[in-house]
């Protein structure tokens, strides 16, 4: 099996949101990584974590950016560099398999799948609902040998899906 990054994460546009009597104001910020390999908009400045993971593919360095603007939402972008013979064989199938496995590990029933593209790179989008009734949006992109995963988790269906789309739709891989 391949290594799959499982993460959970939501977004806003400066609107006031009320969750369990708490009002949250979110300010969107554009984020460019240090290597200038991608940019994306986070609702708050993300915290970065780097970890070494052993997988069937060997040792992988996984970089994760997490933004948690409130207790009801979490935005995550993570990536790992895979061997190029794995990523280039069939990028679309790989993206789908990674996405399906990530949602499976989150005990999520997949409700919708679609093919995606970001700056000409192959991607897959999945939407599911977890056993605990979280709505999960998960995108996987293959950019050369790098696998990006973006996840938005909404605590309930009352939160606006357009906010999830704002985060997911702002991802821009860059090629040097």
């Amino acid at each position: 099996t391949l290594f799959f990054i499982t993460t959970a994460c939501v977004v806003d546009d400066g609107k006031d949101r009320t969750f369990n009597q708490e009002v949250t104001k979110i300010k969107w910020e554009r984020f460019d990584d240090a290597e200038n390999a991608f940019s994306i908009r986070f609702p708050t400045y993300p915290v970065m974590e780097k970890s070494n993971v052993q997988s069937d593919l060997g040792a992988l360095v996984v970089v994760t950016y997490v933004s948690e603007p409130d207790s009801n939402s979490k935005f995550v972008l993570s990536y790992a560099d895979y061997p190029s013979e794995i990523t280039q064989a069939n990028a679309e199938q790989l993206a789908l398999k990674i996405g399906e496995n990530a949602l499976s590990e989150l005990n999520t029933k997949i409700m919708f799948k679609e093919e995606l593209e970001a700056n000409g790179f192959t991607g897959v989008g999945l939407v599911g609902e977890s056993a605990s009734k979280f709505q999960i949006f998960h995108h996987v992109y293959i950019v050369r040998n790098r696998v990006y995963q973006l996840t938005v988790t909404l605590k309930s269906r009352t939160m606006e899906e357009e906010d999830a789309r704002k985060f997911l739709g702002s991802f821009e891989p860059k090629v040097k």
Side-chain angles (χ1 to χ4, degrees):
T1 61
L2 299 173
F3 170 73
F4 303 100
I5 303 166
T6 55
T7 53
C9 19
V10 171
V11 204
D12 195 0
D13 51 10
K15 301 176 192 170
D16 286 336
R17 304 281 186 203
T18 303
F19 308 112
N20 300 326
Q21 305 304 317
E22 117 187 26
V23 176
T24 305
K25 193 148 200 98
I26 298 173
K27 180 184 176 208
W28 286 86
E29 298 183 35
R30 180 138 216 96
F31 176 82
D32 292 287
D33 78 313
E35 296 176 5
N36 198 32
F38 70 89
S39 65
I40 192 165
R41 292 178 68 195
F42 278 101
T44 59
Y45 196 81
V47 174
M48 191 267 281
E49 180 181 313
K50 191 180 277 192
S51 56
N52 294 310
V53 176
Q54 280 298 325
S55 75
D56 292 344
L57 301 173
L60 295 175
V61 176
V62 179
V63 178
T64 306
Y65 294 91
V66 179
S67 172
E68 295 183 78
D70 57 48
S71 62
N72 297 294
S73 60
K74 188 175 184 179
F75 301 79
V76 178
L77 178 145
S78 57
Y79 67 82
D81 292 330
Y82 282 48
S84 58
E85 60 273 9
I86 300 287
T87 58
Q88 300 311 308
N90 190 330
E92 187 177 319
Q93 275 187 324
L94 177 64
L96 180 60
K97 184 172 181 169
I98 290 171
E100 287 175 341
N101 285 348
L103 291 185
S104 174
E105 292 210 8
L106 293 171
N107 197 19
T108 299
K109 180 182 177 184
I110 297 171
M111 312 296 275
F112 179 78
K113 299 177 191 178
E114 66 179 330
E115 293 178 14
L116 301 172
E117 174 273 323
N119 287 351
F121 294 101
T122 300
V124 174
L126 302 136
V127 178
E129 186 173 271
S130 71
S132 56
K133 301 299 179 196
F134 282 82
Q135 191 172 15
I136 299 174
F137 298 81
H138 190 74
H139 287 187
V140 180
Y141 293 96
I142 310 296
V143 179
R144 296 195 174 154
N145 69 315
R146 183 165 285 179
V147 176
Y148 289 95
Q149 295 188 66
L150 295 76
T151 309
V152 176
T153 301
L154 304 175
K155 190 165 187 171
S156 71
R157 290 186 178 272
T158 60
M159 298 178 76
E160 295 185 33
E161 289 181 17
E162 80 178 59
D163 292 341
R165 287 193 227 344
K166 182 180 239 178
F167 172 72
L168 297 169
S170 70
F171 176 66
E172 294 180 23
K174 301 175 185 176
V175 180
K176 295 179 183 180

